[in-house]
Amino acid sequence: MKKLLIALLSSSMLFACNQEKSVEERYIYEENKIVDVDTGDEYVLEESDQEFVVIHKDGSQEIIPIDETPFFGTTLSDEYITEWKDNMAAREEKLLEEKKEKLKQARRDRYADLTDEELMKKFQKSHDEGIDMSFQMDMIAELVERGTISNEDAPDLLEIEPELINFDIEIEAPVENI
């Protein structure tokens, strides 16, 4: 009976030890976070890829270095960080494209009442008078956008080196005398 009790106790302890979840089973990658299925804690990368914000089930938060997470060095953390970086790069690209489109739309609106010829004359007058280069570049960008002049002609008209041209400039307020 004693041996049976020892065997039963040993097998139950062995069974209990085998029931401990592996890192891959305990921590699950969901959308933009890693969730601890045992505690409900959520691990989220926000601004830095070196720290996790841990959101506990009670709503409290703490910041821990990535190398102190229980899943550090696993394929789970590597995949999560890679995907996070890819998502951040895509989000930055999207924001940059949206900003560029807003700048183009503002420029279109600024010169909507001018024909191509009128805008070219306005540019030439501004260029001759030495008006701020950003305004000159803005007018040339609109002329390029309209197809009136080519990208290759722009540096010659502005009398600057091609690498100095930036058509994605932001003009704060239109100047009436240009």
Side-chain angles (χ1 to χ4, degrees):
M1 184 70 164
K2 213 178 202 184
K3 287 183 181 180
L4 181 62
L5 188 58
I6 291 174
L8 187 59
L9 187 60
S10 297
S11 63
S12 65
M13 287 183 68
L14 186 61
F15 180 75
C17 290
N18 287 339
Q19 293 301 320
E20 188 174 315
K21 294 180 181 173
S22 70
V23 170
E24 288 79 15
E25 292 173 326
R26 181 173 175 183
Y27 298 95
I28 299 173
Y29 177 65
E30 294 179 354
E31 296 174 27
N32 61 345
K33 61 189 171 200
I34 295 176
V35 178
D36 181 340
V37 294
D38 288 349
T39 65
D41 292 345
E42 297 176 352
Y43 295 79
V44 180
L45 279 174
E46 289 191 351
E47 294 180 23
S48 167
D49 64 346
Q50 300 301 311
E51 296 177 328
F52 271 98
V53 175
V54 182
I55 305 168
H56 299 288
K57 202 169 191 171
D58 64 1
S60 63
Q61 296 182 5
E62 68 177 302
I63 297 175
I64 60 170
I66 193 168
D67 57 356
E68 291 182 15
T69 61
F71 46 82
F72 176 71
T74 65
T75 56
L76 177 70
S77 67
D78 295 342
E79 287 174 11
Y80 177 80
I81 291 170
T82 301
E83 188 169 323
W84 179 83
K85 286 179 179 179
D86 292 345
N87 288 341
M88 289 298 286
R91 190 176 332 158
E92 287 173 7
E93 183 67 30
K94 182 181 176 190
L95 290 173
L96 183 62
E97 287 301 318
E98 287 174 359
K99 182 178 180 180
K100 284 181 179 183
E101 188 53 42
K102 284 180 183 178
L103 291 173
K104 285 181 182 180
Q105 186 59 48
R107 188 173 55 232
R108 275 186 229 117
D109 294 345
R110 246 189 316 279
Y111 303 116
D113 59 334
L114 297 175
T115 65
D116 295 350
E117 295 79 22
E118 292 170 332
L119 184 56
M120 180 59 92
K121 286 179 184 174
K122 187 173 185 171
F123 162 73
Q124 289 168 339
K125 181 181 178 209
S126 299
H127 187 69
D128 291 341
E129 293 175 0
I131 298 293
D132 185 283
M133 184 57 79
S134 60
F135 290 111
Q136 292 181 46
M137 223 178 281
D138 189 56
M139 287 184 268
I140 288 293
E142 180 60 18
L143 289 166
V144 168
E145 193 71 29
R146 291 179 181 187
T148 305
I149 62 170
S150 68
N151 278 330
E152 292 79 27
D153 293 336
D156 294 334
L157 291 168
L158 289 165
E159 297 180 29
I160 61 173
E161 296 297 317
E163 56 272 0
L164 297 176
I165 290 185
N166 178 8
F167 289 148
D168 297 322
I169 55 175
E170 189 169 357
I171 304 294
E172 289 185 20
V175 175
E176 296 300 321
N177 63 351
I178 61 169

